[in-house]
Amino acid sequence: MSLHQVARACKALHHTFVDRSSARVTLKDIARLAGVHPATASRALDPARGDMLTPETRDRVRRVAQEAGYQVNSFARSLRKNSSGMVGVVVADVANPFLPPILRGIEQIIRAEQKLLLIAETHDDGSTLLEIIDHFVARRVDAVILSAAHLGDEHAVASLAEKIPVVLAVRSVGSARFPTITHDDVLGGQLAAEHLVSLGHRDLAQLRGPMDVSSFRGREQGFAAVMSTTTALERFVDQSATAPTVEEGRRLAKAILDTPGRHPTAFFAHNDLMAVGALEALRDRGLTCPRDISIVGYNDAPLSNHVNPPLTTVRLPSLELGRRVATLALAVIAGSPTEPTIEKLPPELVIRQSTAAPSHP
Amino acid sequence: MSLHQVARACKALHHTFVDRSSARVTLKDIARLAGVHPATASRALDPARGDMLTPETRDRVRRVAQEAGYQVNSFARSLRKNSSGMVGVVVADVANPFLPPILRGIEQIIRAEQKLLLIAETHDDGSTLLEIIDHFVARRVDAVILSAAHLGDEHAVASLAEKIPVVLAVRSVGSARFPTITHDDVLGGQLAAEHLVSLGHRDLAQLRGPMDVSSFRGREQGFAAVMSTTTALERFVDQSATAPTVEEGRRLAKAILDTPGRHPTAFFAHNDLMAVGALEALRDRGLTCPRDISIVGYNDAPLSNHVNPPLTTVRLPSLELGRRVATLALAVIAGSPTEPTIEKLPPELVIRQSTAAPSHP
DNA sequence: TTGAAAGCGCTACCAG
DNA sequence: CTGGTAGCGCTTTCAA
């Protein structure tokens, strides 16, 4: 096979090769085609200022632009207006099943405003967060929705907030210095505790998520608050999960079950994945849920009603949270007076089959 | 309370109010501070061209920039370079549990290149796809990774590909006109069928996902291909799911179970959520899995090993797919010869407890 | 109502 | 190796 033939074969293979170097249609082109000045064309194409023109001119320009397939060059526009039309969202972990409804809520609102979403993931790593913030600042996003804050991040957030409007979602930084919308995790923890106590449990333990995250901290406190007002006893557990995963839930539960003496009759896992891990730990020891130990999860994750047994859990209004936080972000962008307050959305207890009265009271 | 007092109260409330209007440091500022021409400063700050300068000048500029907290204005840079440094990802549905590993894989590669990810969701709606494409084109993303294609979208993709490099992920458009990386769904369907047949099943049915999506179509064909080479019989089912959800799986399974006569002894659900729906349908009729009916799922979704019974399923190398597809996108951006081929990643059968030999052979 | 001109901040090119 | 110059495509004064 000659070189020539090879070349031909290659070319045939690449029959979809396209030349993308063709210059695109610019505003000037449209102006020329419509016989007006670029400035006029610009006005005609801006819905907000289209009525400064003769309807006639305006429509002509628009028609021409339409036919020519004109699209603004967003770089030029952004450079001029110094605003990108993008909203940055920072999450800890896309794989966390409680995120999608939040993202969807945010997206619904943001897209309705013709803005675009820039999503980045920190993996709960502080230096990654800093990097992402840098990127967002460099790209001049109109606002940042931050749902990956840790309790120590106040300083980083403050320095970001100097440059870009910031709204905190899901997790607060502790103080109420920034506009924040979270779930009411203290209430969530209370709900879980009250449910278990009213079932008759007197010896309970928490499987705690990372304690440097406000949402887990809130759950812990709500739960503990109820404990302290009843005759029930919360087991002292000195560990908490490094990440809210199945593995960590299993590890924590195992540690408790390995402790000599009677084990608690109920667990409050700080999320459903950890609850599932606890379920595994029980099974490993031949224990049954809820007969031997009751378990309450958190989040009402997608398949939590299909695990064995279906999980009693705390359901969060995440879609609503996403919508509100996006709306708030838009308000902040628009420069409306932003009171730096924390708004808390109430969760709801969903009782299924992983909780029951203790069998050895 | 006087107006004045109100104003003061308000001000106190807004103590975190910040003035973000302060002009930012520009390249010109840095140049002046370092006593060089802006063009020189530009070179000094570009790692690729930094060695055109005296190390001395370069370092001085860099130090000044560092101290002044200089950040390039990405609009200006993009306008000049006509490239945004962003990669757009189009997905059907962020909530789909098989997506996170793919997104993570993509992100790993893309972030290593200092590019940013723009993520948008179609909800499997054609006009939304068009809108998103428009946005991406307007924003001049460097490339688009499209994992939400339908079998009819060839035209839309082609017109996008004229303007921006496109890489197809997960779902092909049918033909191999574009560089594409998918899972090998035909093989996946085969694996499921062979497993069931070797267990002794002779009367099987598929719970099909949307048939205008290549990945479901592939599963169907792989499964059917095995059926036709054995004595096993595939039930004719004229419906397929409108979306691969628990509800649709339940509906489809119910329709089959409602058909008079003996029911099949095994289902192949086109994904795990549908398999869980089928599980519900069985339970509704007092049937047990796998005793009465075996079920194979698809995807190995997060909690599928924790449902009751744990699901036999097909596991996909999604992280790897994400990484490859991102690498491919980068190659296409770099203008490397892109053979428009389909690459298929092999899945793996995971046998758990939702499948067993039929009890009434 | 429309046109002219300026400039957003950066980089590519050409001279020196 | 460095400086000057021009211009990316758009919007926004200001004048007419």
Side-chain angles (χ1 to χ4, degrees):
Chain A
M1 192 159 164
S2 73
L3 258 184
H4 191 135
Q5 283 172 313
V6 170
R8 284 207 8 194
C10 281
K11 199 154 177 192
L13 217 62
H14 294 200
H15 63 292
T16 47
F17 173 82
V18 287
D19 175 24
R20 267 182 293 263
S21 66
S22 69
R24 309 197 197 200
V25 189
T26 75
L27 190 61
K28 228 188 329 191
D29 299 328
I30 301 304
R32 190 164 22 74
L33 258 43
V36 295
H37 191 272
T40 309
S42 172
R43 287 186 273 253
L45 263 18
D46 180 347
R49 297 174 313 158
D51 43 5
M52 292 178 162
L53 313 197
T54 331
E56 187 183 291
T57 346
R58 188 193 51 196
D59 294 344
R60 179 160 36 90
V61 174
R62 287 191 180 171
R63 195 159 13 81
V64 170
Q66 175 74 40
E67 282 166 13
Y70 170 73
Q71 290 211 252
V72 286
N73 181 320
S74 68
F75 303 146
R77 168 178 287 176
S78 294
L79 177 58
R80 193 58 234 257
K81 307 230 272 201
N82 198 34
S83 135
S84 64
M86 297 188 304
V87 171
V89 181
V90 188
V91 303
D93 176 8
V94 221
N96 198 320
F98 88 94
L99 266 175
I102 295 180
L103 290 178
R104 169 158 311 161
I106 294 176
E107 207 230 8
Q108 287 176 357
I109 303 296
I110 296 299
R111 272 192 15 124
E113 274 312 284
Q114 305 274 40
K115 290 181 186 289
L116 236 40
L117 232 47
L118 213 44
I119 298 178
E121 220 181 343
T122 63
H123 305 290
D124 273 320
D125 175 66
S127 67
T128 307
L129 174 62
L130 261 21
E131 259 182 56
I132 290 174
I133 287 181
D134 263 11
H135 268 143
F136 281 178
V137 172
R139 289 240 140 66
R140 306 289 200 274
V141 296
D142 295 345
V144 173
I145 294 174
L146 178 59
S147 82
H150 285 238
L151 284 171
D153 289 338
E154 188 153 1
H155 186 70
V157 175
S159 92
L160 169 59
E162 278 171 24
K163 299 171 197 146
I164 303 181
V166 178
V167 174
L168 261 30
V170 185
R171 301 168 169 193
S172 77
V173 286
S175 71
R177 283 183 54 195
F178 313 98
T180 304
I181 302 184
T182 69
H183 295 296
D184 189 339
D185 293 294
V186 172
L187 177 54
Q190 284 174 8
L191 256 24
E194 282 161 5
H195 171 62
L196 256 9
V197 169
S198 74
L199 242 24
H201 293 276
R202 289 297 172 268
D203 183 2
L204 336 201
Q206 293 194 61
L207 271 25
R208 300 183 299 169
M211 283 294 100
D212 59 341
V213 171
S214 71
S215 55
F216 294 114
R217 182 61 85 176
R219 287 162 218 187
E220 178 194 47
Q221 291 172 347
F223 190 90
V226 171
M227 291 295 101
S228 66
T229 64
T230 66
T231 60
L233 179 84
E234 180 182 344
R235 271 301 163 112
F236 172 72
V237 179
D238 69 345
Q239 295 186 64
S240 56
T242 56
T245 60
V246 174
E247 294 68 37
E248 281 290 286
R250 181 179 192 158
R251 182 177 71 80
L252 258 29
K254 181 170 186 311
I256 295 174
L257 296 177
D258 281 349
T259 306
R262 289 179 66 155
H263 52 67
T265 61
F267 287 160
F268 169 41
H270 279 191
N271 84 3
D272 289 340
L273 296 180
M274 292 176 67
V276 168
L279 244 19
E280 286 184 349
L282 292 207
R283 215 162 290 151
D284 291 346
R285 296 187 74 92
L287 263 21
T288 308
C289 170
R291 208 194 54 200
D292 299 306
I293 296 186
S294 286
I295 299 181
V296 176
Y298 208 96
N299 275 2
D300 192 21
L303 291 180
S304 64
N305 55 335
H306 290 284
V307 305
N308 183 21
L311 241 37
T312 292
T313 188
V314 177
R315 178 182 296 158
L316 274 15
S318 296
L319 182 80
E320 177 63 15
L321 186 145
R323 297 175 58 93
R324 290 216 199 179
V325 92
T327 307
L328 181 57
L330 256 18
V332 177
I333 292 173
S336 86
T338 94
E339 311 168 30
T341 50
I342 295 193
E343 185 180 347
K344 296 184 179 176
L345 270 32
E348 173 192 1
L349 182 71
V350 180
I351 299 175
R352 291 198 277 247
Q353 290 149 47
S354 65
T355 50
S359 45
H360 314 289
Chain B
M1 192 157 162
S2 73
L3 257 182
H4 191 137
Q5 283 172 314
V6 170
R8 286 205 10 194
C10 281
K11 201 155 176 192
L13 216 63
H14 295 199
H15 64 290
T16 48
F17 173 80
V18 289
D19 176 24
R20 267 181 293 262
S21 66
S22 69
R24 310 198 196 201
V25 189
T26 74
L27 189 60
K28 226 185 333 188
D29 299 328
I30 301 302
R32 191 162 23 75
L33 257 42
V36 295
H37 192 273
T40 308
S42 173
R43 287 185 275 251
L45 264 15
D46 181 348
R49 300 173 309 158
D51 45 2
M52 293 178 161
L53 312 198
T54 333
E56 186 184 295
T57 344
R58 187 193 50 194
D59 294 344
R60 179 160 36 90
V61 174
R62 287 190 180 171
R63 195 159 14 80
V64 169
Q66 175 74 39
E67 282 165 13
Y70 170 74
Q71 288 213 251
V72 286
N73 181 321
S74 68
F75 303 146
R77 168 178 288 175
S78 295
L79 176 58
R80 193 60 236 259
K81 306 231 265 200
N82 199 33
S83 133
S84 63
M86 297 188 302
V87 172
V89 181
V90 188
V91 303
D93 176 8
V94 220
N96 199 320
F98 87 94
L99 267 174
I102 297 180
L103 290 178
R104 169 157 310 161
I106 294 176
E107 207 231 7
Q108 287 176 358
I109 303 297
I110 296 299
R111 274 194 14 125
E113 273 315 282
Q114 304 275 41
K115 291 182 186 290
L116 237 38
L117 232 47
L118 213 43
I119 299 178
E121 219 182 344
T122 63
H123 305 290
D124 273 320
D125 175 66
S127 67
T128 306
L129 174 62
L130 261 23
E131 258 182 57
I132 289 173
I133 287 180
D134 264 11
H135 268 142
F136 281 177
V137 172
R139 288 240 143 63
R140 307 291 200 273
V141 295
D142 295 345
V144 173
I145 294 174
L146 179 59
S147 82
H150 285 237
L151 284 170
D153 290 339
E154 188 151 4
H155 187 69
V157 176
S159 92
L160 169 60
E162 278 172 24
K163 300 171 197 148
I164 303 180
V166 178
V167 174
L168 262 29
V170 185
R171 303 169 169 191
S172 77
V173 287
S175 70
R177 284 182 53 194
F178 312 99
T180 304
I181 302 183
T182 69
H183 294 296
D184 190 339
D185 293 294
V186 172
L187 176 54
Q190 284 174 8
L191 256 23
E194 281 161 7
H195 171 62
L196 257 8
V197 168
S198 75
L199 242 23
H201 293 276
R202 288 298 172 269
D203 183 1
L204 333 201
Q206 294 194 63
L207 271 24
R208 301 184 297 170
M211 284 292 101
D212 58 342
V213 171
S214 72
S215 54
F216 295 113
R217 181 63 83 177
R219 288 162 217 189
E220 178 195 48
Q221 291 169 348
F223 189 90
V226 171
M227 292 295 100
S228 67
T229 63
T230 67
T231 59
L233 178 85
E234 180 183 345
R235 273 299 165 111
F236 172 72
V237 178
D238 68 346
Q239 297 186 65
S240 57
T242 54
T245 61
V246 174
E247 293 69 37
E248 282 290 285
R250 180 180 193 156
R251 181 177 71 81
L252 257 31
K254 183 172 186 308
I256 295 173
L257 295 176
D258 282 348
T259 307
R262 289 180 65 154
H263 52 68
T265 62
F267 288 159
F268 170 41
H270 280 192
N271 84 2
D272 289 340
L273 296 180
M274 293 176 67
V276 168
L279 243 20
E280 285 184 350
L282 292 207
R283 214 160 291 148
D284 292 345
R285 297 187 73 92
L287 262 23
T288 307
C289 170
R291 208 193 56 201
D292 300 305
I293 296 186
S294 286
I295 299 182
V296 176
Y298 207 96
N299 275 2
D300 192 21
L303 291 179
S304 63
N305 54 335
H306 289 285
V307 304
N308 182 21
L311 242 38
T312 292
T313 188
V314 177
R315 179 182 296 159
L316 274 14
S318 295
L319 183 81
E320 178 62 17
L321 186 144
R323 296 176 58 93
R324 291 218 199 177
V325 91
T327 307
L328 181 58
L330 255 19
V332 177
I333 291 174
S336 88
T338 94
E339 310 168 30
T341 51
I342 294 194
E343 184 179 348
K344 296 183 179 178
L345 270 31
E348 174 192 0
L349 183 71
V350 180
I351 299 176
R352 291 198 277 246
Q353 290 150 48
S354 66
T355 49
S359 45
H360 314 287

